[in-house]
Amino acid sequence: AGFVRDGETVLIDAGSTTLHLARRLAASDKAITVVTNGYAAAIALGTNPRIAVHVCPGRHNPHEGGVTGADTIAYLNRFQVDRAFIGASGINAEGVNEADAEAAIVKRAMLQRAETPMLLLDHSKFARRSFQIICPLEDLPHLVTDEEPGPDLGAALARARVEVHLAGR
């Protein structure tokens, strides 16, 4: 939440990790505009009257706790935002990856619409490989996580010039 500045526009992906971000932003005093495809994120953010919340249309995706599909992508393509925060199923030397194909499409669209794309991921997803690659590491300028990556992933992130930020530090 510390990355988000007053007055910014932000995309927030559906998911449990991004919900933590939404809750922190809702507790802040920042006047921001957020577009999200996540039900829980929209509800959390909506508790703060200084946050303008826009919810994507689309097909209910119970696994993600939000919406996906063509309507979601078309809606996201209407925006140009300062930051996008996405979650993922995993990250490895090949890139950021996702188990749910429909969710992967939404995540790609969010990253493309943002000036500063950011991945929020806990250490349990390091070196994990899933069905679809969302983006190569080179397309990801920032990773926010709870622990330092291991040597192999750390080296791959360094080669790709990904800045690793430890949450809460």
Side-chain angles (χ1 to χ4, degrees), residues 53-66:
V53 181
H54 299 261
V55 183
C56 297
R59 186 179 57 79
H60 170 66
N61 183 323
H63 174 72
E64 291 296 310

Side-chain angles (χ1 to χ4, degrees), residues 3-4 19 29 32 38 43 54 56 86 115 119 130-131 166:
F3 287 102
V4 179
L19 175 57
D29 191 39
I32 59 174
I43 291 167
H54 299 261
C56 297
I86 68 160
E115 185 176 327
L119 174 65
S130 294
F131 182 58
L166 297 180

Side-chain angles (χ1 to χ4, degrees), residues 69-92:
D71 290 334
T72 308
I73 302 304
Y75 187 75
L76 289 170
N77 284 335
R78 294 167 51 181
F79 300 99
Q80 297 178 48
V81 301
D82 297 303
R83 296 179 194 285
F85 293 95
I86 68 160
S89 297
I91 187 170
N92 60 29

Side-chain angles (χ1 to χ4, degrees), residues 88-149:
S89 297
I91 187 170
N92 60 29
E94 287 189 65
V96 181
N97 53 77
E98 176 58 42
D100 185 299
E102 289 291 315
I105 295 167
V106 172
K107 293 168 193 297
R108 279 188 210 106
M110 286 185 166
L111 294 177
Q112 290 171 357
R113 303 311 305 165
E115 185 176 327
T116 305
M118 302 186 80
L119 174 65
L120 306 180
L121 203 68
D122 73 74
H123 72 279
S124 70
K125 298 178 180 180
F126 290 168
R128 195 180 275 182
R129 180 183 167 124
S130 294
F131 182 58
Q132 283 199 10
I133 294 175
I134 296 167
C135 68
L137 295 180
E138 293 78 16
D139 291 350
L140 180 73
H142 300 276
L143 166 63
V144 180
T145 188
D146 60 337
E147 289 184 14
E148 289 285 346

